[in-house]
Amino acid sequence: MATAGNLGFPRIGAGRELKWALERHWAGTATAAELEAVGRTLRQRHWTQQRDAGIQHIPVGDFSYYDQVLDTAVMVGAIPARFGWAGGRLPLEAYFAMARGGAPAPGAEPVAALEMTKWFDTNYHYLVPELVAGQAFQLTHNRLLDQYLEARALGVEGRPVLLGPVTFLLLSKVRAGAAQPLELLPTLLPVYAAILGELRAAGAAWIQIDEPCLALDLPVAALEALTRAYQELTAAVPELRLLLATYFGGLGANLGTVCELPVAGLHVDAVRAPGEVPRVLEALQDHAVLSLGLVDGRNVWRTDLPAALATLEAAEAHLGADRVQVAPSCSLLHVPLSLAAETALDPAVRSWLAFAGEKLEEVACLAQATRDRAAVEDRLAAAAAAAAQRRDSTAVHDPQVAARLAAVSPADLSRGRSHAERGPVQAAALGLPQLPTTTIGSFPQTAELRQARVRLRRGELTPEAYDTLVAEAIAAVIQFQETVGLDVLVHGEPERTDMVEFFAAQLQGFALTAGGWVQSYGSRCVRPPIIYGDVSRPRPMTVRWAEYAQSRTRRPVKGMLTGPVTILQWAFVRDDQPRATTAGQIALALRDEVADLERAGIRIIQVDEPALREGLPLRRADQPPYLRWAVDAFRLVTAGVADGTQVHTHMCYSEFNDILGAIREMDADVLAIESSRSQMELLGVFRRDGYPNAVGPGIWDIHSPRVPSTEEMTDLLERACQVLRPEQVWVNPDCGLKTRAWAEVEPALRNMVAAAREVARRRATLPV
Ligand code: GLN
Ligand code: ZN
């Protein structure tokens, strides 16, 4: 009989208790003890919830006050010197300083946080461990042991979870020296052995070690490191059984090495790589246990239980029932907690979904089905019926959308004339100066507007009264931009809470949740929309406010849209059709929006694609096809406009080196990017590879509250004009301004405009 396991549970709490407790603590209104009490309550609730759902292998140590990679770094003593750690347990202030920057101890000088970046292809961010050449490691404090004992005191025999040493090192950065992180493995392993040894001594029978790096293309050195690591760890603590967990994709070329490792068990992602299961069954060592990730931990869809059961039973037939476990494909950190709060969802759509709580019931049900199928026959049938109903639903399938996408031709993806030919037409239409100035779209949202939205939702404010407030905000932002002297204006996005949710709320095929929160980083949570059906646009979405904004000024106002890839990336997507198809459908809806904006007299249209780079698949072989359809989706949105209509795009958090070809093919007239922090170094790639269209390198780091001076921005702009052709350069901040205060926005934009004028003046007086 298969047993039921879990790899990790959302830690934020049904009421986002952890978020609120953290923020109270950071604001100084909750003590460390109060925060820790909330942590304990959540852990206890989540453990008992999992036990009550019928999970036999309950993860412990997956709880974190900020991030599990940070916790691992702290546990092994990878604490950079600036955090003032002098041995022993790291104080909570220093821990939060590593996570968020600030003073590591009362009265100490503030220091910079660790870098943060996306966790594989998820929207979760981890903190990048910062190591030095010759880094020493030591066990600071075994937090895993604490949580293991805490669970046991509550009567829960948990399975500790630890990030594996090879993934830990591969995700780290080595400062001060050219050493490769993997060279540090020999010094790291004894600390891992010590952690495992203490757990074993306390009575732990199994430990789950996560090595998600196995979903990547790995160099030989990494595979050798893996072999060495697991040989040493199993030799050091022979009685502790190791379950090596991999997820976010198949093992690919790593499969052979992994199946040879001397571990007691292996967990594989059978949702992302179902085809690999038979090969794993063949290659697995005698006696090793296989945990099959059959329930999607990355997405919100209900499992087709009979189909999953067939895979599970095939594994049992091959290995023997006592060697098989069933589990979610990965930690449930990436899905919302429970459907219980979703009373407002369309009942049909709701019946197709499973969040973390429901997924654990599915896992338990599958395990039970291998013992006593009759007892769960009803649930299997209900799951199959929901799957069938979803497959045939008219809410999912819109033949018109499918027909329209099928009819897209290469001509629909091409603007016809090149940027060089379009440029003069646009210049004549727009009459912009050299080094034109603009912003990325959003302006600070006032508390008044946010409150108005709450009151609108509660029915305390009429839609008309709300619209009046939005109109006032737009008029004020237009006036402000004219006063500051910007050339291309925006409406400021006061009507949008979130750049994806705003469109999701208006498009057919999307559902919004009431409480579908997922941790993005630290206390920050997002509520991704769910794309369940073919996408179409019942009516224009942005035209009204763009038109209104344009009516308030003679200067051009940019229409502002979120691109198809970004909408896709920041939503839960359909698993019943390729992502490329969904992207194409969103693109068609946006193409109509672009056409309507153009018809309304909007001469510049910006389509933001900040998530294009992060959508890059983990495996190299999958990257070119992704870039092909991602670029095509952008072109489908934008290529229908006249030569004189100027298309802008914006990307942030980006590395452009590996995607420049794709960016060039997007063929936007103007590309506004984040670049101020790199001191324009980032622009090198544009020169090297000769980017022909216009570029707006950000010259104001909007992630910082600091107002940059005119001189500073003049300097950055001069650098940009040296790397790029000056006629190619636009002037803008790094990103939208919604997170900034008016008190910063006003002087910073004045300085930015002054910098543009200064550089233009110098260039005009330059001898030719
Ligand atoms: N137009 C959006 C804004 O200004 C872009 C945000 C983003 O790139 N993340 O807010
Ligand atoms: Zn941005």
Side-chain angles (χ1 to χ4, degrees), residues 166 170 182 214 216 218-229 251 253-258 261:
V166 177
L170 288 175
L182 282 179
L214 290 168
L216 307 173
L218 290 178
V220 177
L223 291 172
E224 285 168 1
L226 212 69
T227 303
R228 169 169 189 177
L251 291 162
N254 309 325
L255 190 144
T257 306
V258 170
L261 294 175

Side-chain angles (χ1 to χ4, degrees), residues 156-173:
V156 174
E157 178 61 37
R159 185 167 70 187
V161 186
L162 180 58
L163 178 62
V166 177
T167 301
F168 174 79
L169 289 174
L170 288 175
L171 296 181
S172 300
K173 268 201 160 170

Side-chain angles (χ1 to χ4, degrees), residues 440 610 650-653 674 734-736:
I440 304 302
H650 163 68
M651 292 182 191
C652 40
Y653 342 101
E674 171 178 337
D734 271 343
C735 190

Side-chain angles (χ1 to χ4, degrees), residues 330-353:
C330 60
S331 165
L332 296 172
L333 184 66
H334 311 289
V335 291
L337 201 62
S338 156
L339 272 174
E342 304 308 325
T343 48
L345 270 182
D346 174 331
V349 174
R350 192 177 189 275
S351 77
W352 303 333
L353 302 176

